[in-house]
Amino acid sequence: MSTVPPDLRARVDELRRLIHRYNYEYYVLAQPTVSDAEYDALMLELRQLEARYPELITPDSPTQRIGAPPAEGFATVQHELPMLSLSNVFDEQEFRAWAERVYRLSGRRDIEFVTEPKLDGVAVAILYRNGVYTRGATRGDGYTGEDVTANIRTIRMLPLRLYPPDDVPVPAVLEVRGEVYMRIKDFNDLNRQRGEEGLPLFANPRNAAAGSLRQLDPGITASRPLCFAAWDIGLFDGLPAPATHAGVLDYLRRLSIPVVPEYAVYRTVDEVLVEVRRWLQTREQLEYEADGVVVKVNDRALYDQLGVVGREPRAATAYKFPAIEKTTLVRHVEWSVGRTGKLTPIAILEPVSIGGVMVERASLHNEDEIQRLGVMIGDAVVVQRRGDVIPKVITAIPARRDGDERPIVPPDHCPVCGAHVVRLEGEVDRYCVNPSCPARLKAQIQHFASRGAMDIEGFGEKLSDLFVDLGLIRSLPDIYELDWEQIRQLRGFAEKRIENLREAIERSKDRPLERFIFALGIRHVGERNARLLAEHFGSIDRLAAASLEDLLAIPGFGPTVAQSIYEFFHEPKNVEMIERFRRLGVKVAETAPVARPARGPLAGKTVVLTGKLTTLTRAQAEEALRQVGARVVSSVSKNTDYVFAGQDPGSKYQRAQQLGVTILGEDDLLRMLRESGVSLAEAVPAS
Ligand code: I6G
């Protein structure tokens, strides 16, 4: 065993401190004080010392950012303190109403607010134990996230060890919450590079950040230009935390942790609104994408006292920006074929930068929308982009026509396979009639493999297109019977990639039933309906054997949904397909009963909301009800247990009266939620 000379140990410490400082200056402040060559020389010296004395290597050394081996999948992390979300307001009136509620519930008007830009990225929680970075996790559903420790370690602006100034104490456990995001310029550079390499492009900086963070190989994450900005603390054990939110951000900054830019404290609602308007005016010049301004109560004791509704703290809200709009020209229109065979018109545009992101395609939705807009090929149009939503054409500008414009003619034949296209009576969309249309199959595979469905890592658009074009996949179950020998002969399929793909496909066989049902791509069965079907039937066999009446008995299922599911399971090709999935080892039944909260007055109840609620928004009420095991449905039937009526209830109230369904008020709702264990703060009027 080698003993390290004390002076070398001290030199290693010094090198790490220096590298930490230069990193902060370079990545956070963008004000480097040393040249790249000087920085590289320090890194080299540290690497050499660590190579000579491996016992000096610690996980927080700057040499250890990259190098963790690829993972099999992400472990899950339970957040000790839930990672909540933010409520939204969309205009000044809604913001004033939010602030009024804060004033009313607190009984105070001397309240300070903190504003910050709402960075559009991925929310994460980063844990430091005794000043050393130990874990990074995504927000996930707020209670359980994914362990992305090795990936977050690669973000260079994040210190792996804290070097606090003497007067800044650090708690034994410090959890920093914030956003992993990508600057617009870095996003555009990354996409340019991917385009040159023939790789699919990311739709926006948020997707690029999320896709980069969710890489099983941290080496790939390390090659992506990710940034981090803290917006809060979570766990803070062993020391009193700062008393104000601005104090928290100042504190983190003093630890060299990057925090949200330009946070500011204001004393009145009017002052906050001036700041929001300023952000609105400058948002297009920002170097990062922001989808709003976050406003928080500064006093942390009051913040906590105001409590939580559903999953949203009352003392914070996000003032969302409206979508950005730009004018450009429609060059032509493509019809894309989706997994159900539906044709969607896509306007191919003269490229235009919207909020820094190049937009070249925008959805026109369907023929009725084309009619409504009156848009023609060659027209100037206004295009709108909001965060991660696909850009859309919102108006045509006929005044700018010069006579060369041409009408958009919907195709009679599928642009991909040439089969006939039909528009059914009463439907707005056209469909390709060929069930084996390659475009349909490609879209079905992408859906099947997507994250919310079977989540097959690495099986994206490019791969499904390639495998269909090569005839390796002719129907969905072929995914589980790929000819790996043939794939091995293809360019770009090294042994490691094949191994990863095979493992990802194998892992997907064991997804929960609701994901499998969703993955099948049945019309009108999105994630919510798939979950209801899995809970109700527990196995594909029971679902496939369900009559129309059985399906209609599921709260919220109407005739269109029920008919679509019934037809799907009575199509012999689908029956055969499911049989093949089963033979290939895909899980088609729940092995354990689906967990449902068993206790509380709302568990298992079917409820309807009507009228305006005064203490929570409709979305908050629905979320809270779901949390306690209630089913929220949109129409009243004899199967409804309770109708909760707010102010000015609509026709659902009368229907409940006619059917003799129990009608309760908002106070009852709050009381029952409390009795079910939802933490509604004292500030909410008790019944
Ligand atoms: O300050 C914040 C910025 C962004 C947030 C936040 C956020 O989510 C994307 N979420 C929460 C729950 C809080 N502050 C408290």
Side-chain angles (χ1 to χ4, degrees):
M1 200 182 95
S2 70
T3 37
V4 185
D7 55 332
L8 284 191
R9 216 175 256 285
R11 177 64 183 156
V12 163
D13 277 351
E14 188 190 6
L15 286 169
R16 289 181 184 165
R17 263 174 201 278
L18 285 171
I19 291 167
H20 165 81
R21 194 172 98 207
Y22 298 148
N23 265 341
Y24 185 71
E25 289 172 354
Y26 184 88
Y27 290 107
V28 183
L29 305 179
Q31 284 167 355
T33 58
V34 289
S35 67
D36 287 357
E38 283 171 275
Y39 177 89
D40 290 345
L42 296 176
M43 272 300 260
L44 181 67
E45 187 184 344
L46 180 59
R47 268 187 222 290
Q48 284 171 341
L49 286 174
E50 287 182 349
R52 203 154 84 214
Y53 300 105
E55 61 268 51
L56 286 179
I57 301 176
T58 53
D60 60 316
S61 170
T63 59
Q64 302 302 302
R65 282 197 191 268
I66 312 163
E72 295 269 304
F74 295 110
T76 52
V77 168
Q78 303 297 324
H79 296 296
E80 225 171 285
L81 294 176
M83 274 191 92
L84 303 169
S85 350
L86 292 172
S87 63
N88 293 321
V89 296
F90 293 94
D91 57 31
E92 298 200 355
Q93 200 187 347
E94 284 184 19
F95 176 69
R96 285 185 190 281
W98 171 82
E100 269 314 313
R101 197 160 63 124
V102 168
Y103 290 138
R104 181 167 51 82
L105 295 176
S106 64
R108 287 173 47 182
R109 292 200 80 86
D110 60 333
I111 295 177
E112 286 183 344
F113 299 101
V114 185
T115 57
E116 82 197 28
K118 185 167 179 295
L119 303 174
D120 209 2
V122 184
V124 296
I126 290 173
L127 204 65
Y128 288 91
R129 280 188 193 282
N130 300 317
V132 177
Y133 168 75
T134 26
R135 197 187 69 194
T138 60
R139 180 192 330 240
D141 65 4
Y143 301 98
T144 308
E146 283 178 327
D147 188 332
V148 285
T149 306
N151 294 4
I152 286 188
R153 187 191 295 286
T154 68
I155 302 176
R156 286 176 177 70
M157 57 164 53
L158 194 79
L160 298 181
R161 163 180 285 275
L162 303 175
Y163 291 94
D166 290 343
D167 59 338
V168 182
V170 178
V173 178
L174 167 65
E175 187 186 31
V176 181
R177 294 179 167 185
E179 210 75 5
V180 170
Y181 66 101
M182 201 176 277
R183 290 194 184 110
I184 294 173
K185 180 180 174 308
D186 293 333
F187 160 77
N188 285 331
D189 288 348
L190 177 66
N191 257 357
R192 193 169 315 116
Q193 189 191 331
R194 288 175 70 84
E196 282 162 16
E197 290 168 14
L199 295 169
L201 304 188
F202 289 113
N204 51 54
R206 201 190 73 84
N207 283 6
S212 303
L213 195 60
R214 276 198 92 250
Q215 291 293 330
L216 287 175
D217 180 354
I220 300 180
T221 311
S223 71
R224 304 278 172 80
L226 290 177
C227 297
F228 173 78
W231 38 251
D232 207 352
I233 49 172
L235 299 170
F236 199 92
D237 288 357
L239 282 177
T244 62
H245 181 60
V248 164
L249 298 176
D250 292 342
Y251 170 81
L252 294 175
R253 228 167 39 159
R254 296 205 65 203
L255 292 177
S256 302
I257 293 173
V259 297
V260 278
E262 296 184 60
Y263 59 91
V265 181
Y266 296 101
R267 287 206 182 76
T268 66
V269 168
D270 287 332
E271 281 176 6
V272 171
L273 285 174
V274 170
E275 175 70 348
V276 169
R277 284 179 217 130
R278 183 186 73 80
W279 278 111
L280 268 166
Q281 268 165 16
T282 51
R283 67 186 281 208
E284 288 202 52
Q285 282 106 57
L286 298 176
E287 52 178 31
Y288 46 81
E289 189 139 291
D291 60 345
V293 178
V294 179
V295 186
K296 290 179 182 167
V297 167
N298 195 20
D299 178 336
R300 284 170 45 86
L302 176 58
Y303 187 107
D304 289 342
Q305 194 188 322
L306 284 165
V308 173
V309 187
R311 291 186 190 182
E312 296 162 358
R314 279 205 192 78
T317 195
Y319 191 125
K320 294 303 268 296
F321 291 149
I324 311 181
E325 297 175 3
K326 279 284 165 71
T327 304
T328 186
L329 291 178
V330 177
R331 283 176 167 172
H332 63 103
V333 170
E334 269 178 22
W335 294 78
S336 96
V337 186
R339 64 190 150 90
T340 55
K342 187 169 101 178
L343 268 62
T344 304
I346 309 287
I348 308 299
L349 307 166
E350 193 71 41
V352 61
S353 167
I354 311 188
V357 172
M358 269 304 176
V359 173
E360 301 184 22
R361 301 159 70 84
S363 176
L364 285 164
H365 299 294
N366 53 45
E367 279 168 62
D368 284 8
E369 180 70 355
I370 292 174
Q371 292 275 317
R372 193 186 68 77
L373 295 168
V375 59
M376 297 174 79
I377 293 169
D379 261 347
V381 287
V382 178
V383 179
Q384 188 184 71
R385 187 176 83 87
R386 184 197 296 275
D388 55 348
V389 181
I390 300 168
K392 57 181 181 184
V393 173
I394 55 161
T395 34
I397 313 178
R400 286 188 35 188
R401 284 187 183 149
D402 62 9
D404 285 344
E405 295 73 21
R406 285 172 293 123
I408 299 169
V409 184
D412 291 329
H413 291 87
C414 172
V416 178
C417 70
H420 274 294
V421 157
V422 291
R423 182 173 173 174
L424 302 176
E425 193 69 24
E427 294 233 6
V428 289
D429 296 305
R430 285 177 187 240
Y431 288 85
C432 164
V433 294
N434 174 10
S436 317
C437 171
R440 287 179 66 169
L441 181 58
K442 286 174 184 175
Q444 281 164 4
I445 297 169
Q446 273 164 46
H447 171 74
F448 186 86
S450 67
R451 229 188 131 188
M454 301 302 262
D455 194 9
I456 309 182
E457 185 81 28
F459 213 116
E461 184 181 340
K462 207 167 160 236
L463 217 59
S464 34
D465 288 1
L466 180 71
F467 288 177
V468 172
D469 290 340
L470 292 176
L472 285 163
I473 299 185
R474 293 197 167 82
S475 66
L476 286 179
D478 288 348
I479 295 174
Y480 295 102
E481 263 185 327
L482 284 168
D483 181 345
W484 293 105
E485 272 322 304
Q486 204 178 329
I487 294 170
R488 206 164 269 124
Q489 313 304 320
L490 303 174
R491 243 180 68 193
F493 283 86
E495 212 39 58
K496 186 71 203 157
R497 184 172 180 202
I498 291 188
E499 198 185 307
N500 287 345
L501 201 55
R502 285 183 90 148
E503 282 170 7
I505 292 174
E506 209 44 44
R507 277 198 302 273
S508 76
K509 289 183 177 173
D510 204 29
R511 300 282 179 245
L513 178 64
E514 62 184 73
R515 300 259 217 119
F516 179 56
I517 296 174
F518 174 59
L520 290 173
I522 306 165
R523 268 184 95 186
H524 305 299
V525 179
E527 281 174 277
R528 182 171 178 273
N529 283 352
R531 191 178 67 235
L532 292 174
L533 288 169
E535 280 177 5
H536 197 88
F537 294 104
S539 82
I540 276 285
D541 291 342
R542 277 196 291 276
L543 169 58
S547 65
L548 268 177
E549 289 70 36
D550 294 336
L551 292 162
L552 282 165
I554 300 177
F557 277 36
T560 316
V561 178
Q563 186 70 34
S564 162
I565 299 166
Y566 183 82
E567 279 174 12
F568 182 91
F569 287 102
H570 285 79
E571 162 61 49
K573 277 201 169 140
N574 292 337
V575 175
E576 209 178 288
M577 174 173 77
I578 286 167
E579 221 20 70
R580 235 183 112 206
F581 276 127
R582 187 201 313 273
R583 273 204 315 276
L584 291 165
V586 176
K587 188 169 100 177
V588 291
E590 282 307 337
T591 37
V594 179
R596 289 195 196 106
R599 292 183 8 188
L602 290 159
K605 300 290 183 215
T606 300
V607 306
V608 171
L609 294 168
T610 180
K612 189 166 169 17
L613 301 172
T614 54
T615 47
L616 16 166
T617 65
R618 179 65 72 94
Q620 288 167 338
E622 287 186 6
E623 177 59 34
L625 282 161
R626 270 195 278 278
Q627 262 182 44
V628 300
R631 275 202 190 119
V632 187
V633 298
S634 53
S635 55
V636 182
S637 73
K638 60 182 183 352
N639 296 323
T640 310
D641 292 298
Y642 306 123
V643 168
F644 289 107
Q647 288 171 2
D648 306 323
S651 58
K652 294 175 197 168
Y653 188 92
Q654 281 121 41
R655 175 115 179 102
Q657 281 181 320
Q658 284 161 4
L659 293 172
V661 172
T662 307
I663 302 175
L664 300 168
E666 183 169 348
D667 288 351
D668 299 304
L669 171 64
L670 297 176
R671 176 179 47 77
M672 290 165 98
L673 284 173
R674 273 208 198 85
E675 286 168 12
S676 308
V678 171
S679 112
L680 298 161
E682 294 312 312
V684 169
S687 56

